[in-house]
Amino acid sequence: MIMGISQELHAIGRPLLDAQLAHPTVRGIAAGDLPEPVFRSWLEQDYLFLLDYVRVFSRLAWQAPDGHLGDLVDLAHATWHDELSLHRSMSAEFGADLEAATKGPACAAYTDFLLRSAADYADGLAALYPCMWGYSTLGRVLADKPPAEPRYRAWVDTYADPGFAALTARIAVMIDEAAPDPGRAAALFTEGMRHELAFWDVP
């Protein structure tokens, strides 16, 4: 059986995903004992990241074939209304100041990479996939033994949601249909996974 490009990307990304699962920030969320200042900083950085992630989806939607257009609109909508709403609701609980936050080096490097990659449709899909695949997989793994702390449990529940998994699976299909150059897709996906890992080193 021949693997599609997306399945090859999963195999490439698994070691970097395992590194995320072992990262102290992720382990702290999983245990429910991550120090609040660390999560507050992560929350502010991820809020800024997601604003640009919506822009990435929008830039790709402009280039998309008709069969993909609605999916990208749905992804932009879900990011804006679901993920960003979660960040806004959690900001008060953790004392985060989302409006005054500024990008740290990891956030700036990652969003710059994504926005540049989105200049090409197939490249952009491969570059953005690590975020969706990574968080969907992290959510599913952490949900097997969710944290008792309700705020961190809410975070896990968001990314373990079957609806989020379905959006992630749809992106995988879209990557296969866009048929990017396999070597280039692998390089972009790997770079995105490295940005994902670096993002947990909150400033």
Side-chain angles (χ1 to χ4, degrees):
M1 181 178 178
I2 299 175
M3 290 195 300
I5 291 174
S6 62
Q7 292 301 309
E8 295 175 7
L9 298 181
H10 296 167
I12 291 168
R14 188 68 215 198
L16 285 163
L17 184 67
D18 289 340
Q20 290 187 59
L21 285 165
H23 193 283
T25 302
V26 177
R27 292 205 323 265
I29 292 172
D33 61 4
L34 184 70
E36 288 195 11
V38 176
F39 192 77
R40 179 166 59 246
S41 180
W42 177 87
L43 192 65
E44 292 172 349
Q45 292 301 300
D46 202 52
Y47 179 81
L48 297 173
F49 169 84
L50 288 173
L51 291 176
D52 277 340
Y53 208 48
V54 172
R55 293 182 175 98
V56 170
F57 285 132
S58 300
R59 188 172 192 186
L60 292 178
W62 185 80
Q63 306 171 63
D66 292 348
H68 293 181
L69 178 58
D71 298 289
L72 289 161
V73 171
D74 288 346
L75 286 160
H77 183 277
T79 303
W80 182 266
H81 289 283
D82 297 337
E83 286 192 80
L84 283 167
S85 290
L86 172 72
H87 287 56
R88 294 184 187 105
S89 67
M90 296 185 84
S91 64
E93 298 176 10
F94 284 91
D97 188 349
L98 301 181
E99 301 307 317
T102 58
K103 290 180 182 178
C107 182
Y110 196 1
T111 54
D112 179 66
F113 161 71
L114 288 173
L115 290 164
R116 282 187 289 104
S117 298
D120 177 89
Y121 185 67
D123 283 359
L125 289 178
L128 71 79
Y129 190 50
C131 182
M132 295 201 64
W133 177 70
Y135 275 70
S136 179
T137 308
L138 287 174
R140 186 175 68 249
V141 171
L142 297 185
D144 286 342
K145 189 179 179 182
E149 209 283 346
R151 296 172 300 176
Y152 292 130
R153 174 65 180 265
W155 187 93
V156 170
D157 287 347
T158 295
Y159 295 107
D161 185 88
F164 188 74
L167 291 172
T168 302
R170 178 58 184 151
I171 284 287
V173 171
M174 290 163 63
I175 291 171
D176 292 338
E177 291 174 350
D181 174 79
R184 182 156 178 79
L188 288 164
F189 181 81
T190 301
E191 185 172 351
M193 289 297 296
R194 288 175 178 151
H195 281 296
E196 284 290 313
L197 181 58
F199 204 92
W200 293 112
D201 294 327
V202 290

Short mmCIF file of all heavy atoms in Angstrom, two decimals, residues 50-92:
data_model
loop_
_atom_site.label_atom_id
_atom_site.label_comp_id
_atom_site.label_asym_id
_atom_site.label_seq_id
_atom_site.Cartn_x
_atom_site.Cartn_y
_atom_site.Cartn_z
N LEU A 50 -2.09 32.88 16.56
CA LEU A 50 -3.35 32.51 15.93
C LEU A 50 -3.93 33.63 15.07
O LEU A 50 -4.59 33.36 14.07
CB LEU A 50 -4.36 32.08 16.99
CG LEU A 50 -4.08 30.72 17.65
CD1 LEU A 50 -5.04 30.49 18.81
CD2 LEU A 50 -4.15 29.58 16.65
N LEU A 51 -3.69 34.87 15.44
CA LEU A 51 -4.12 35.97 14.58
C LEU A 51 -3.49 35.85 13.19
O LEU A 51 -4.16 36.04 12.16
CB LEU A 51 -3.76 37.32 15.21
CG LEU A 51 -4.52 37.71 16.48
CD1 LEU A 51 -3.97 39.02 17.03
CD2 LEU A 51 -6.02 37.84 16.23
N ASP A 52 -2.21 35.52 13.16
CA ASP A 52 -1.55 35.34 11.87
C ASP A 52 -1.94 34.02 11.21
O ASP A 52 -1.94 33.91 9.97
CB ASP A 52 -0.03 35.41 12.03
CG ASP A 52 0.49 36.83 12.06
OD1 ASP A 52 -0.24 37.73 11.59
OD2 ASP A 52 1.61 37.06 12.55
N TYR A 53 -2.28 33.02 12.00
CA TYR A 53 -2.74 31.74 11.44
C TYR A 53 -4.03 31.96 10.64
O TYR A 53 -4.20 31.36 9.57
CB TYR A 53 -2.96 30.75 12.57
CG TYR A 53 -2.78 29.30 12.21
CD1 TYR A 53 -1.67 28.86 11.50
CD2 TYR A 53 -3.72 28.36 12.61
CE1 TYR A 53 -1.50 27.52 11.19
CE2 TYR A 53 -3.56 27.01 12.31
CZ TYR A 53 -2.45 26.60 11.60
OH TYR A 53 -2.28 25.26 11.30
N VAL A 54 -4.91 32.80 11.14
CA VAL A 54 -6.12 33.14 10.38
C VAL A 54 -5.73 33.81 9.06
O VAL A 54 -6.32 33.54 8.01
CB VAL A 54 -7.04 34.06 11.21
CG1 VAL A 54 -8.20 34.58 10.37
CG2 VAL A 54 -7.57 33.33 12.44
N ARG A 55 -4.73 34.66 9.10
CA ARG A 55 -4.27 35.32 7.87
C ARG A 55 -3.70 34.31 6.88
O ARG A 55 -3.86 34.44 5.66
CB ARG A 55 -3.23 36.39 8.21
CG ARG A 55 -3.80 37.56 8.99
CD ARG A 55 -2.74 38.63 9.27
NE ARG A 55 -3.33 39.79 9.90
CZ ARG A 55 -3.31 40.02 11.21
NH1 ARG A 55 -2.72 39.17 12.03
NH2 ARG A 55 -3.89 41.10 11.70
N VAL A 56 -3.01 33.28 7.40
CA VAL A 56 -2.48 32.23 6.53
C VAL A 56 -3.62 31.50 5.83
O VAL A 56 -3.59 31.28 4.61
CB VAL A 56 -1.60 31.25 7.34
CG1 VAL A 56 -1.25 30.02 6.50
CG2 VAL A 56 -0.33 31.94 7.81
N PHE A 57 -4.63 31.09 6.59
CA PHE A 57 -5.79 30.43 5.97
C PHE A 57 -6.42 31.33 4.92
O PHE A 57 -6.83 30.86 3.84
CB PHE A 57 -6.82 30.07 7.04
CG PHE A 57 -6.46 28.89 7.89
CD1 PHE A 57 -6.58 28.96 9.27
CD2 PHE A 57 -6.01 27.71 7.33
CE1 PHE A 57 -6.26 27.87 10.07
CE2 PHE A 57 -5.69 26.61 8.11
CZ PHE A 57 -5.81 26.69 9.49
N SER A 58 -6.53 32.60 5.22
CA SER A 58 -7.16 33.54 4.29
C SER A 58 -6.34 33.69 3.02
O SER A 58 -6.89 33.75 1.90
CB SER A 58 -7.35 34.90 4.97
OG SER A 58 -8.17 34.78 6.11
N ARG A 59 -5.02 33.74 3.16
CA ARG A 59 -4.16 33.86 1.98
C ARG A 59 -4.25 32.61 1.11
O ARG A 59 -4.28 32.68 -0.12
CB ARG A 59 -2.71 34.10 2.41
CG ARG A 59 -1.79 34.42 1.25
CD ARG A 59 -0.41 34.85 1.67
NE ARG A 59 0.32 35.41 0.53
CZ ARG A 59 1.60 35.77 0.57
NH1 ARG A 59 2.28 35.67 1.69
NH2 ARG A 59 2.17 36.27 -0.51
N LEU A 60 -4.33 31.45 1.75
CA LEU A 60 -4.46 30.21 0.99
C LEU A 60 -5.84 30.11 0.34
O LEU A 60 -5.97 29.59 -0.78
CB LEU A 60 -4.21 29.01 1.90
CG LEU A 60 -2.77 28.86 2.40
CD1 LEU A 60 -2.65 27.66 3.33
CD2 LEU A 60 -1.79 28.71 1.24
N ALA A 61 -6.88 30.58 1.03
CA ALA A 61 -8.22 30.53 0.45
C ALA A 61 -8.28 31.30 -0.86
O ALA A 61 -8.99 30.89 -1.79
CB ALA A 61 -9.23 31.09 1.45
N TRP A 62 -7.57 32.38 -0.95
CA TRP A 62 -7.55 33.18 -2.18
C TRP A 62 -7.00 32.38 -3.36
O TRP A 62 -7.39 32.58 -4.51
CB TRP A 62 -6.70 34.43 -1.94
CG TRP A 62 -6.71 35.39 -3.10
CD1 TRP A 62 -7.67 36.29 -3.43
CD2 TRP A 62 -5.68 35.53 -4.09
NE1 TRP A 62 -7.31 36.99 -4.57
CE2 TRP A 62 -6.10 36.54 -4.98
CE3 TRP A 62 -4.45 34.91 -4.31
CZ2 TRP A 62 -5.33 36.93 -6.08
CZ3 TRP A 62 -3.69 35.29 -5.40
CH2 TRP A 62 -4.12 36.30 -6.27
N GLN A 63 -6.10 31.42 -3.08
CA GLN A 63 -5.47 30.62 -4.13
C GLN A 63 -6.14 29.27 -4.33
O GLN A 63 -5.82 28.55 -5.28
CB GLN A 63 -4.01 30.34 -3.76
CG GLN A 63 -3.17 31.56 -3.45
CD GLN A 63 -1.82 31.16 -2.89
OE1 GLN A 63 -1.02 30.50 -3.56
NE2 GLN A 63 -1.57 31.51 -1.63
N ALA A 64 -7.05 28.90 -3.45
CA ALA A 64 -7.53 27.52 -3.38
C ALA A 64 -8.38 27.12 -4.58
O ALA A 64 -9.13 27.93 -5.13
CB ALA A 64 -8.35 27.33 -2.10
N PRO A 65 -8.29 25.84 -4.96
CA PRO A 65 -9.26 25.32 -5.92
C PRO A 65 -10.66 25.32 -5.28
O PRO A 65 -10.79 25.34 -4.06
CB PRO A 65 -8.77 23.89 -6.18
CG PRO A 65 -7.95 23.54 -4.98
CD PRO A 65 -7.33 24.81 -4.51
N ASP A 66 -11.66 25.28 -6.12
CA ASP A 66 -13.03 25.39 -5.61
C ASP A 66 -13.34 24.34 -4.54
O ASP A 66 -14.05 24.62 -3.57
CB ASP A 66 -14.04 25.27 -6.75
CG ASP A 66 -14.00 26.45 -7.71
OD1 ASP A 66 -13.37 27.47 -7.36
OD2 ASP A 66 -14.60 26.36 -8.80
N GLY A 67 -12.81 23.14 -4.71
CA GLY A 67 -13.10 22.06 -3.78
C GLY A 67 -12.50 22.23 -2.40
O GLY A 67 -12.88 21.52 -1.47
N HIS A 68 -11.55 23.15 -2.27
CA HIS A 68 -10.90 23.40 -0.98
C HIS A 68 -11.32 24.71 -0.33
O HIS A 68 -11.03 24.93 0.85
CB HIS A 68 -9.37 23.43 -1.16
CG HIS A 68 -8.76 22.13 -1.54
ND1 HIS A 68 -7.39 21.97 -1.72
CD2 HIS A 68 -9.30 20.91 -1.77
CE1 HIS A 68 -7.13 20.72 -2.05
NE2 HIS A 68 -8.28 20.06 -2.10
N LEU A 69 -11.96 25.57 -1.10
CA LEU A 69 -12.22 26.92 -0.61
C LEU A 69 -13.05 26.93 0.67
O LEU A 69 -12.71 27.60 1.65
CB LEU A 69 -12.92 27.74 -1.71
CG LEU A 69 -13.32 29.17 -1.35
CD1 LEU A 69 -12.10 29.99 -0.93
CD2 LEU A 69 -14.03 29.82 -2.54
N GLY A 70 -14.14 26.17 0.68
CA GLY A 70 -15.00 26.16 1.86
C GLY A 70 -14.30 25.65 3.10
O GLY A 70 -14.53 26.13 4.21
N ASP A 71 -13.40 24.67 2.91
CA ASP A 71 -12.67 24.12 4.05
C ASP A 71 -11.76 25.17 4.68
O ASP A 71 -11.67 25.28 5.90
CB ASP A 71 -11.81 22.93 3.60
CG ASP A 71 -12.66 21.79 3.06
OD1 ASP A 71 -13.35 21.14 3.86
OD2 ASP A 71 -12.63 21.56 1.85
N LEU A 72 -11.11 25.96 3.85
CA LEU A 72 -10.21 26.99 4.38
C LEU A 72 -10.98 28.10 5.06
O LEU A 72 -10.54 28.64 6.08
CB LEU A 72 -9.31 27.52 3.27
CG LEU A 72 -8.26 26.52 2.80
CD1 LEU A 72 -7.71 26.89 1.43
CD2 LEU A 72 -7.12 26.41 3.82
N VAL A 73 -12.14 28.43 4.52
CA VAL A 73 -13.00 29.41 5.19
C VAL A 73 -13.44 28.86 6.55
O VAL A 73 -13.44 29.57 7.56
CB VAL A 73 -14.21 29.75 4.31
CG1 VAL A 73 -15.22 30.61 5.09
CG2 VAL A 73 -13.76 30.49 3.05
N ASP A 74 -13.82 27.57 6.59
CA ASP A 74 -14.22 26.93 7.85
C ASP A 74 -13.07 26.93 8.85
O ASP A 74 -13.28 27.16 10.05
CB ASP A 74 -14.68 25.50 7.60
CG ASP A 74 -16.04 25.42 6.92
OD1 ASP A 74 -16.74 26.45 6.86
OD2 ASP A 74 -16.38 24.32 6.43
N LEU A 75 -11.86 26.67 8.38
CA LEU A 75 -10.70 26.65 9.28
C LEU A 75 -10.40 28.03 9.84
O LEU A 75 -10.10 28.17 11.02
CB LEU A 75 -9.48 26.09 8.53
CG LEU A 75 -9.51 24.58 8.30
CD1 LEU A 75 -8.57 24.19 7.17
CD2 LEU A 75 -9.13 23.85 9.58
N ALA A 76 -10.50 29.05 8.99
CA ALA A 76 -10.30 30.41 9.48
C ALA A 76 -11.38 30.76 10.51
O ALA A 76 -11.09 31.36 11.56
CB ALA A 76 -10.34 31.40 8.31
N HIS A 77 -12.60 30.36 10.23
CA HIS A 77 -13.72 30.63 11.14
C HIS A 77 -13.52 29.92 12.48
O HIS A 77 -13.70 30.52 13.55
CB HIS A 77 -15.03 30.18 10.49
CG HIS A 77 -16.25 30.48 11.29
ND1 HIS A 77 -16.69 29.66 12.31
CD2 HIS A 77 -17.13 31.52 11.24
CE1 HIS A 77 -17.79 30.16 12.84
NE2 HIS A 77 -18.08 31.30 12.21
N ALA A 78 -13.13 28.64 12.43
CA ALA A 78 -12.93 27.87 13.66
C ALA A 78 -11.79 28.44 14.49
O ALA A 78 -11.87 28.50 15.72
CB ALA A 78 -12.66 26.40 13.32
N THR A 79 -10.73 28.86 13.82
CA THR A 79 -9.60 29.44 14.55
C THR A 79 -10.01 30.74 15.23
O THR A 79 -9.71 30.97 16.40
CB THR A 79 -8.42 29.70 13.58
OG1 THR A 79 -8.06 28.47 12.94
CG2 THR A 79 -7.22 30.24 14.34
N TRP A 80 -10.73 31.58 14.49
CA TRP A 80 -11.14 32.89 15.03
C TRP A 80 -12.16 32.73 16.15
O TRP A 80 -12.03 33.36 17.20
CB TRP A 80 -11.70 33.75 13.90
CG TRP A 80 -12.10 35.12 14.36
CD1 TRP A 80 -13.34 35.53 14.76
CD2 TRP A 80 -11.24 36.25 14.51
NE1 TRP A 80 -13.30 36.86 15.13
CE2 TRP A 80 -12.02 37.32 14.98
CE3 TRP A 80 -9.88 36.46 14.27
CZ2 TRP A 80 -11.49 38.58 15.22
CZ3 TRP A 80 -9.35 37.72 14.51
CH2 TRP A 80 -10.15 38.76 14.98
N HIS A 81 -13.14 31.87 15.94
CA HIS A 81 -14.26 31.80 16.89
C HIS A 81 -14.06 30.78 18.01
O HIS A 81 -14.59 30.97 19.11
CB HIS A 81 -15.56 31.51 16.14
CG HIS A 81 -16.04 32.65 15.31
ND1 HIS A 81 -16.67 33.75 15.85
CD2 HIS A 81 -15.94 32.88 13.98
CE1 HIS A 81 -16.96 34.61 14.89
NE2 HIS A 81 -16.54 34.11 13.74
N ASP A 82 -13.31 29.72 17.75
CA ASP A 82 -13.14 28.68 18.77
C ASP A 82 -11.82 28.84 19.52
O ASP A 82 -11.81 29.04 20.74
CB ASP A 82 -13.23 27.29 18.15
CG ASP A 82 -14.60 27.03 17.53
OD1 ASP A 82 -15.57 27.70 17.95
OD2 ASP A 82 -14.69 26.18 16.63
N GLU A 83 -10.71 28.77 18.80
CA GLU A 83 -9.41 28.84 19.48
C GLU A 83 -9.17 30.22 20.10
O GLU A 83 -8.76 30.32 21.25
CB GLU A 83 -8.28 28.49 18.50
CG GLU A 83 -8.19 27.02 18.17
CD GLU A 83 -6.89 26.70 17.45
OE1 GLU A 83 -5.85 26.56 18.13
OE2 GLU A 83 -6.91 26.60 16.22
N LEU A 84 -9.41 31.27 19.33
CA LEU A 84 -9.17 32.60 19.88
C LEU A 84 -10.16 32.93 21.00
O LEU A 84 -9.80 33.63 21.96
CB LEU A 84 -9.22 33.65 18.78
CG LEU A 84 -7.96 33.71 17.90
CD1 LEU A 84 -8.19 34.54 16.66
CD2 LEU A 84 -6.77 34.25 18.69
N SER A 85 -11.36 32.41 20.91
CA SER A 85 -12.33 32.62 22.01
C SER A 85 -11.85 31.94 23.28
O SER A 85 -12.01 32.47 24.39
CB SER A 85 -13.70 32.08 21.61
OG SER A 85 -14.28 32.89 20.61
N LEU A 86 -11.27 30.74 23.13
CA LEU A 86 -10.70 30.05 24.29
C LEU A 86 -9.62 30.91 24.92
O LEU A 86 -9.57 31.08 26.15
CB LEU A 86 -10.12 28.70 23.88
CG LEU A 86 -9.34 27.96 24.97
CD1 LEU A 86 -10.29 27.43 26.04
CD2 LEU A 86 -8.51 26.82 24.37
N HIS A 87 -8.74 31.48 24.11
CA HIS A 87 -7.66 32.31 24.64
C HIS A 87 -8.21 33.55 25.34
O HIS A 87 -7.72 33.94 26.40
CB HIS A 87 -6.72 32.71 23.51
CG HIS A 87 -5.85 31.59 23.02
ND1 HIS A 87 -6.35 30.41 22.57
CD2 HIS A 87 -4.50 31.48 22.94
CE1 HIS A 87 -5.36 29.62 22.21
NE2 HIS A 87 -4.22 30.25 22.42
N ARG A 88 -9.24 34.15 24.75
CA ARG A 88 -9.82 35.33 25.39
C ARG A 88 -10.47 34.98 26.72
O ARG A 88 -10.34 35.73 27.70
CB ARG A 88 -10.84 35.98 24.45
CG ARG A 88 -10.23 36.56 23.17
CD ARG A 88 -11.27 37.27 22.33
NE ARG A 88 -10.72 37.68 21.03
CZ ARG A 88 -10.97 37.07 19.88
NH1 ARG A 88 -11.78 36.02 19.86
NH2 ARG A 88 -10.43 37.50 18.76
N SER A 89 -11.15 33.85 26.77
CA SER A 89 -11.81 33.46 28.03
C SER A 89 -10.80 33.08 29.10
O SER A 89 -11.03 33.33 30.29
CB SER A 89 -12.78 32.31 27.77
OG SER A 89 -12.09 31.12 27.42
N MET A 90 -9.67 32.49 28.68
CA MET A 90 -8.67 32.08 29.65
C MET A 90 -7.78 33.24 30.09
O MET A 90 -7.12 33.15 31.12
CB MET A 90 -7.80 30.95 29.08
CG MET A 90 -8.56 29.67 28.78
SD MET A 90 -7.46 28.32 28.24
CE MET A 90 -6.94 27.69 29.85
N SER A 91 -7.75 34.31 29.32
CA SER A 91 -6.83 35.40 29.63
C SER A 91 -7.11 35.99 31.00
O SER A 91 -6.18 36.30 31.76
CB SER A 91 -6.90 36.48 28.54
OG SER A 91 -8.17 37.10 28.51
N ALA A 92 -8.38 36.17 31.33
CA ALA A 92 -8.72 36.74 32.64
C ALA A 92 -8.33 35.79 33.76
O ALA A 92 -7.86 36.22 34.83
CB ALA A 92 -10.21 37.06 32.70
#
